[in-house]
Amino acid sequence: MTPAQAAAPLDAAAGVCCLTVLSVSQIPQARMLAASLKRVHPDWHLVAAVADAPPDGPPFEPPEPLFDEVIALPAPQANGAPVQALRARDAAQAFALQQLQAAGHRVMFVLAPGLVVLHPLTPMVDLLEAHAIVLVPHRLAAAVQGHGAGWPTPTAAPAEVFTPACVAFRCGAPDARFAAEWSRHLRAGQAAQWLDRVPVLFDGVHILK
């Protein structure tokens, strides 16, 4: 690596790839994400991976200008029948992560369709100058609700600690193990539980608070 390359910021044009994984029924939510992201980061490469694309035509009608790339995958089959939507999306994400990891991007975001990006994500990119992975907790503090005589009690929280709806990581060869392991656990249907163990399994993990 040359000194000029080492000094280049991680959010240089074409250096950041954003992946959103969706079913055809989630196209409106994906467009909402795309419009908000492109408003603040027009140069970022935005990829839609469609998990249950129709075999006889493109999933987007007309072709979608908000996305720089569309990976259209037919719904996987199990015993001759389509698998559940969640498993189909997990399989699509696993495939897309491996494809994009090899494409030369410096940073990757995985964002859920339906998210609205209100402010630039540059602070998360800046964190990746010093860290390899950035995870976002579902909740930063226990939410409470009233319980008898004004005593608060915790409300139900998601079973997982970290949300898969917003994950950022570096894509270079030294960091390839994270994407490979995430893909493997997505295919096994164990991604949510595995994501909670990432701070123990990998160095350089930052928890966004």
Side-chain angles (χ1 to χ4, degrees):
M1 178 178 289
T2 67
Q5 288 175 322
L10 285 175
D11 62 345
V16 179
C17 176
C18 293
L19 169 66
T20 188
V21 182
L22 60 141
S23 302
V24 168
S25 63
Q26 294 176 301
I27 287 176
Q29 293 97 310
R31 285 177 172 145
M32 181 168 61
L33 165 66
S36 66
L37 181 71
K38 286 294 188 178
R39 179 180 58 83
V40 293
H41 295 297
D43 293 329
W44 287 13
H45 187 78
L46 179 56
V47 180
V50 185
D52 55 355
D56 54 351
F60 291 96
E61 290 291 348
E64 182 54 66
L66 290 172
F67 294 98
D68 301 295
E69 183 179 349
V70 176
I71 301 173
L73 300 169
Q77 302 281 315
N79 298 321
V83 301
Q84 289 182 330
L86 177 59
R87 294 301 302 272
R89 289 194 297 271
D90 282 353
Q93 181 171 329
F95 177 85
L97 282 174
Q98 290 191 317
Q99 291 289 105
L100 296 171
Q101 171 72 24
H105 303 290
R106 302 182 71 189
V107 166
M108 188 177 299
F109 280 77
V110 177
L111 302 174
L115 283 183
V116 176
V117 180
L118 299 176
H119 303 286
L121 298 177
T122 310
M124 291 184 70
V125 178
D126 293 342
L127 286 169
L128 292 170
E129 296 281 0
H131 306 278
I133 303 161
V134 177
L135 300 178
V136 179
H138 275 288
R139 183 173 290 167
L140 295 178
V144 296
Q145 61 186 2
H147 179 71
W151 289 97
T153 56
T155 59
E160 297 82 26
V161 176
F162 301 111
T163 176
C166 183
V167 177
F169 58 96
R170 294 195 304 234
C171 294
D175 308 295
R177 187 170 70 91
F178 173 73
E181 283 296 299
W182 196 2
S183 296
R184 184 169 70 86
H185 285 84
L186 282 161
R187 290 193 177 95
Q190 302 168 342
Q193 298 86 347
W194 174 81
L195 200 62
D196 285 349
R197 298 196 295 271
V198 163
V200 177
L201 299 173
F202 295 85
D203 294 328
V205 178
H206 179 82
I207 299 171
L208 192 64
K209 297 181 180 179

